[in-house]
């Protein structure tokens, strides 16, 4: 089953993406150029990624003492992706980009995520370069970002540490000025970094000439102490190999060392690393203790932006990564759905139930003819296709933020603030559930490696954890996003939902009323959670709030989508069935979730530790 018809429907029939060509930035584009990009990415994914998804799962990255070894297929796939131009697809023509709408770029990247999310398609590299384009100096853009966009270099984001996990306020990596002339380095104020970074995806490999690490670290105060909390965090460019002002390798290895590879449940095709910065394994420029003005050992890094504003800069990349993780989770859900649909159409088992019961002498029926199998297929379709629609809707907001009028751009910014936790968390939870249902449809065979669905589940289990755990997304939503700017983002989202409710066709009026009621419940629960409460009380049930909020958003997305899914074509019938499934089987769940939010139920918060 092909993903392309679904992508085409969402882009062209629902989001009306060709209308973007009326804007100056996209004036050279048309439906034909968009289709050409989609065709190219679909072909590369089919030829270079999909056939090797099992290969990269079985042949995990390994370290031979000198370098990390990856399957040849990974090298070929990453080379093909870089040569396609997709790393710089949304960038200006002047720096080798296509000035492609982000909506089309996101849709095109969906093919790679479904073919093999484990091989990857440059999400971290593009995000790294985009951050530098927004916050770096002109030379940092030229030397580092542009060489990431052209595929010479790749990028990472180095936040977490072994002792800190998701608590970035506890980051202990130190950055000290590298000599008296540290301010005058043309690549940016030069520092020496020492510390450890954990869970760094793509942190060591030989896929590109260089790896550009963006590292969060703290600059000690005059007394040599680290500033507590996140306000003391700064951001640094730490290349694996040092470069000159022309972006050419100097032949010097920076003091960034692989301490170990993490052996993961899934997503095994991508290296995941523990990196040591400044431990002395690769002494660089006098880092044996006789460095400039006694700077001593340490990895060389260049400050991005201002000291103490590292987290503010890094959020530029983190928000992109969160939407990217949501898309990865979505496409793993979609891959499992397609696999289980194919299996259900071809697997004979059981017999039809008649008024007289089952006739053992009659032929077996295919399992797709059983109502419970259809339930599990509809659940997968409603989660996965709905999540893809949400991801592309968010991508369309990015285009509006970049090319719309000032008022429209600001509205898009606020909507993205509110929707980003949902775009990350909904598919991470519910497309994982879709993968579980795909295994269930396969029965015992789904629990074996003879079929791909168990790998999809293992790959997808990561997505509730990385780029902000589920609980962090929930606290971000209830504790910050719905409150920011006096709730303006939440009001804008409610207005979008009301607009959809006001224009639905007659046969969707019942669902429109159901969405209206859900929206009112979410609004009331938001107020009740904070009314006279301390933050700890209000946020104790943030995850149920996130689940209810996400289901309300997904119901709205489906209600909007089906207004474009008219007629008797099987695809339109299927979308309407998935939407009705979501309204009848899923949306009613929000009542229980919001009940504990509204009452600030203390069951979980108050249970004593020794009661477990």
């Amino acid at each position: 089953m092909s993903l392309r018809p679904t992508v085409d429907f969402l882009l062209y029939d629902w989001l009306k993406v060709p209308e973007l060509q009326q804007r100056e930035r996209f004036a050279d584009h048309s439906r034909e150029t968009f289709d050409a990009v989609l065709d190219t990415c679909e072909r590369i994914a089919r030829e270079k990624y999909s056939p090797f998804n099992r290969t990269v799962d079985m042949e995990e990255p390994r370290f031979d003492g000198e370098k990390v070894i990856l399957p040849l297929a990974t090298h070929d796939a990453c080379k093909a992706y870089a040569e396609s131009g997709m790393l710089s697809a949304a960038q200006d023509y002047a720096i080798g980009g296509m000035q492609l709408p982000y909506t089309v770029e996101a849709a095109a990247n969906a093919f790679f995520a479904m073919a093999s999310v484990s091989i990857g398609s440059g999400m971290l590299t593009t995000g790294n370069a985009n951050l530098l384009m927004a916050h770096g100096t002109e030379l940092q853009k030229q030397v580092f970002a542009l060489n990431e966009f052209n595929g010479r270099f790749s990028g990472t984001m180095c936040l977490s540490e072994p002792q800190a996990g998701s608590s970035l306020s506890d980051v202990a990596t130190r950055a000290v000025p590298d000599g008296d002339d540290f301010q005058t380095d043309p690549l940016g104020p030069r520092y020496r970094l020492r510390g450890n970074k954990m869970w760094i995806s793509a942190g060591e490999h030989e896929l590109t000439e260089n790896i550009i690490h963006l590292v969060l670290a703290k600059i000690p105060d005059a007394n040599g102490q680290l500033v507590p909390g996140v306000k003391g965090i700064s951001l640094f460019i730490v290349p694996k190999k040092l470069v000159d002002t022309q972006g050419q390798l100097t032949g010097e290895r920076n003091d960034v060392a692989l301490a170990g590879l993490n052996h993961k449940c899934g997503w095994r095709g991508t290296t995941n690393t523990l990196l040591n910065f400044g431990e002395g394994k690769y002494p660089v420029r006098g880092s044996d203790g006789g460095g400039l003005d006694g700077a001593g050992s340490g990895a060389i890094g260049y400050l991005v932006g201002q000291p103490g504003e590292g987290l503010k800069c890094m959020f530029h990349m983190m928000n992109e990564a969160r939407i990217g993780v949501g898309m990865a989770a979505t496409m793993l859900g979609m891959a499992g759905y397609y696999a289980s649909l194919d299996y259900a159409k071809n697997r004979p088992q059981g017999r039809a139930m008649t008024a007289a019961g089952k006739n053992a002498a009659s032929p077996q029926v295919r399992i797709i003819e059983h109502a419970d199998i259809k339930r599990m297929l509809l659940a997968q379709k409603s989660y996965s296709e709905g999540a893809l629609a949400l991801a592309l809707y968010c991508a369309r907001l990015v285009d509006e933020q970049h090319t719309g009028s000032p008022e429209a751009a600001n509205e898009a910014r606020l909507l993205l603030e509110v929707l980003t936790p949902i775009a990350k968390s909904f598919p991470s939870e519910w497309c994982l559930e879709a993968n579980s249902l795909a295994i269930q449809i396969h029965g015992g065979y789904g629990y074996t490696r003879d079929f791909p669905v168990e790998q999809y589940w293992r790959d997808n289990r990561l997505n509730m954890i990385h780029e902000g755990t589920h609980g962090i997304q929930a606290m971000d939503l209830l504790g910050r996003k719905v409150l920011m700017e006096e709730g303006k983002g939440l009001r804008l989202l409610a207005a979008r939902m009301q607009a959809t409710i006001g224009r639905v066709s007659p046969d969707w009026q019942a669902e429109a009323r159901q969405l209206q009621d859900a929206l009112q419940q979410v609004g009331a629960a938001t107020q009740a959670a904070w009314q006279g409460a301390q933050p700890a009380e209000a946020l104790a049930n943030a995850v149920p709030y996130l689940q209810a909020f996400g289901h309300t958003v997904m119901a709205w997305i489906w209600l909007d989508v089906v207004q474009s899914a008219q007629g008797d074509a099987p695809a339109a019938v299927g979308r309407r069935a998935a939407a009705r499934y979501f309204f009848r089987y899923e949306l009613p769940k929000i009542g229980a979730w919001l009940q504990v939010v509204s009452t600030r139920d203390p069951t979980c918060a108050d249970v004593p530790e020794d009661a477990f």
Side-chain angles (χ1 to χ4, degrees):
M1 188 172 181
S2 173
L3 173 66
R4 183 62 179 274
T6 299
V7 168
D8 285 348
F9 165 79
L10 292 173
L11 288 180
Y12 301 132
D13 296 335
W14 181 49
L15 291 174
K16 313 294 183 187
V17 166
E19 293 178 359
L20 285 171
Q21 70 194 66
Q22 298 171 13
R23 302 186 178 186
E24 182 180 357
R25 182 170 181 80
F26 308 128
D28 294 338
H29 286 291
S30 64
R31 169 77 185 257
E32 287 70 30
T33 62
F34 296 158
D35 280 345
V37 170
L38 297 173
D39 290 344
T40 298
C41 292
E42 187 177 21
R43 176 184 57 78
I44 296 172
R46 182 176 62 249
E47 295 175 358
K48 300 292 187 180
Y49 283 70
S50 185
F52 307 104
N53 191 43
R54 178 61 82 182
T55 300
V56 299
D57 183 63
M58 300 295 289
E59 298 178 21
E60 289 188 73
R62 56 186 176 86
F63 185 54
D64 68 358
E66 295 292 331
K67 59 182 181 293
V68 170
I69 308 298
L70 291 166
L72 178 62
T74 302
H75 290 260
D76 292 343
C78 292
K79 180 182 178 183
Y81 185 83
E83 290 176 348
S84 75
M86 284 301 294
L87 286 168
S88 60
Q91 300 303 312
D92 295 348
Y93 295 139
I95 62 171
M98 305 181 199
Q99 292 188 193
L100 193 70
Y102 180 62
T103 315
V104 179
E105 178 189 357
N109 279 324
F111 293 109
F112 299 103
M114 193 171 85
S116 180
V117 72
S118 190
I119 292 176
S121 57
M123 177 184 76
L124 288 173
T125 296
T126 300
N128 181 308
N130 284 341
L131 182 152
L132 292 176
M133 293 301 289
H135 299 286
T137 65
E138 287 304 313
L139 195 57
Q140 287 173 347
K141 295 174 189 178
Q142 292 289 328
V143 170
F144 299 111
L146 267 57
N147 279 308
E148 290 181 278
F149 285 135
N150 67 27
R152 279 187 65 210
F153 301 166
S154 58
T156 74
M157 54 191 299
C158 300
L159 288 75
S160 185
E161 297 180 4
Q163 83 291 342
S166 298
S167 180
L168 296 180
S169 63
D170 295 314
V171 161
T173 298
R174 302 168 66 92
V176 298
D178 185 22
D180 292 338
D181 64 345
F182 80 101
Q183 290 277 21
T184 63
D185 196 301
L187 292 176
R190 188 181 63 249
Y191 287 74
R192 294 281 185 163
L193 278 73
R194 302 174 188 82
N196 316 101
K197 293 293 179 177
M198 185 61 161
W199 312 119
I200 310 307
S201 293
E204 179 59 37
H205 56 72
E206 303 295 323
L207 297 170
T208 53
E209 286 184 42
N210 205 355
I211 302 173
I212 309 305
H213 302 291
L214 286 178
V215 183
L216 292 182
K218 291 184 176 182
I219 302 171
D221 62 19
N223 298 317
Q225 301 301 309
L226 298 183
V227 178
V230 298
K231 292 183 179 180
I233 295 175
S234 300
L235 179 64
F236 300 88
I237 299 167
V238 185
K240 172 184 174 181
K241 301 173 183 178
L242 297 185
V243 300
D244 61 23
T245 56
Q246 303 301 310
Q248 299 304 310
L249 303 185
T250 66
E252 300 167 283
R253 173 72 186 259
N254 204 357
D255 196 4
V256 183
L258 176 68
L261 293 171
N262 295 311
H263 301 283
K264 300 170 291 181
C265 168
W267 214 311
R268 293 173 174 170
T270 301
T271 57
N272 189 269
T273 62
L274 170 61
L275 298 178
N276 291 342
F277 291 84
E279 69 169 4
K281 182 173 183 178
Y282 300 103
V284 58
R285 295 185 184 176
S287 65
D288 57 354
L292 296 172
D293 295 327
S297 65
I300 291 176
Y302 307 99
L303 182 68
V304 179
Q306 297 300 312
E309 295 187 1
L311 203 55
K312 177 182 175 182
C313 296
M314 185 60 90
F315 263 109
H316 186 107
M317 186 175 181
M318 289 167 66
N319 284 331
E320 284 191 32
R322 285 171 176 177
I323 294 174
V325 165
M327 179 64 89
T330 295
M331 300 321 299
L332 284 165
M334 193 76 82
Y337 166 60
Y338 286 164
S340 61
L341 176 60
D342 180 71
Y343 185 84
K345 286 181 175 180
N346 291 284
R347 167 69 171 173
Q349 186 171 310
R351 288 164 177 81
M353 179 69 72
T354 68
K358 294 182 179 180
N359 180 1
S362 65
Q364 288 185 318
V365 298
R366 295 167 304 137
I367 62 173
I368 197 171
E369 297 179 50
H370 300 308
D372 195 53
I373 297 295
K374 291 182 179 180
R375 174 189 64 82
M376 290 187 280
L377 289 170
L378 274 176
Q380 291 180 73
K381 183 177 177 67
S382 73
Y383 301 151
S384 303
E385 192 170 328
L388 178 57
L390 173 60
L392 295 180
Y393 185 87
C394 288
R396 180 64 182 80
L397 288 175
V398 171
D399 285 324
E400 195 65 30
Q401 187 178 4
H402 291 164
T403 65
S405 66
E407 182 180 355
N410 188 54
E411 185 172 310
R413 175 188 64 83
L414 281 166
L415 285 167
L416 279 168
E417 290 281 8
V418 175
L419 286 174
T420 294
I422 305 303
K424 195 272 185 186
S425 66
F426 181 91
S428 295
E429 179 173 7
W430 298 101
C431 291
L432 178 68
E433 173 62 17
N435 290 145
S436 181
L437 292 171
I439 293 173
Q440 190 70 22
I441 287 173
H442 281 75
Y445 292 106
Y447 199 63
T448 71
R449 292 192 177 185
D450 296 326
F451 289 83
V453 287
E454 60 84 26
Q455 182 185 343
Y456 297 146
W457 188 93
R458 286 188 289 106
D459 287 345
N460 216 348
R461 188 60 190 85
L462 174 63
N463 291 316
M464 285 179 70
I465 300 171
H466 70 158
E467 305 309 339
T469 65
H470 220 51
I472 288 173
Q473 301 300 322
M475 289 189 287
D476 183 43
L477 179 66
L478 180 56
R480 194 166 73 90
K481 295 299 179 63
V482 299
L483 304 178
M484 65 187 302
E485 298 187 27
E486 299 180 341
K488 187 176 180 181
L490 183 58
R491 292 195 301 274
L492 284 171
L493 180 59
R496 294 276 175 120
M497 293 186 185
Q498 293 288 3
T500 298
I501 289 168
R503 67 179 183 85
V504 299
S505 56
D507 50 339
W508 289 94
Q509 289 297 321
E511 287 77 11
R513 289 190 295 271
Q514 194 177 350
L515 177 59
Q516 178 75 56
D517 180 64
L519 180 57
Q520 291 173 347
Q521 289 185 60
V522 169
T526 305
Q527 291 183 331
W530 285 105
Q531 192 166 11
Q534 296 297 319
E537 295 175 336
L539 297 175
N541 292 297
V543 167
Y545 179 84
L546 177 78
Q547 292 170 312
F549 200 106
H551 265 52
T552 302
V553 168
M554 191 51 57
W556 162 58
I557 288 290
W558 267 118
L559 188 61
D560 204 82
V561 164
V562 293
Q563 304 313 303
S564 301
Q566 304 300 320
D568 297 326
V573 173
R575 289 189 181 100
R576 295 197 296 271
R580 288 208 158 91
Y581 171 89
F582 198 86
F583 272 91
R584 294 172 185 177
Y585 287 74
E586 295 292 330
L587 190 56
K589 295 175 181 178
I590 73 169
W593 288 327
L594 293 177
Q595 175 66 22
V596 296
V597 175
S598 298
T599 60
R600 298 197 289 272
D601 188 288
T603 300
C604 298
D606 287 355
V607 62
E609 179 181 334
D610 58 8
F612 287 100

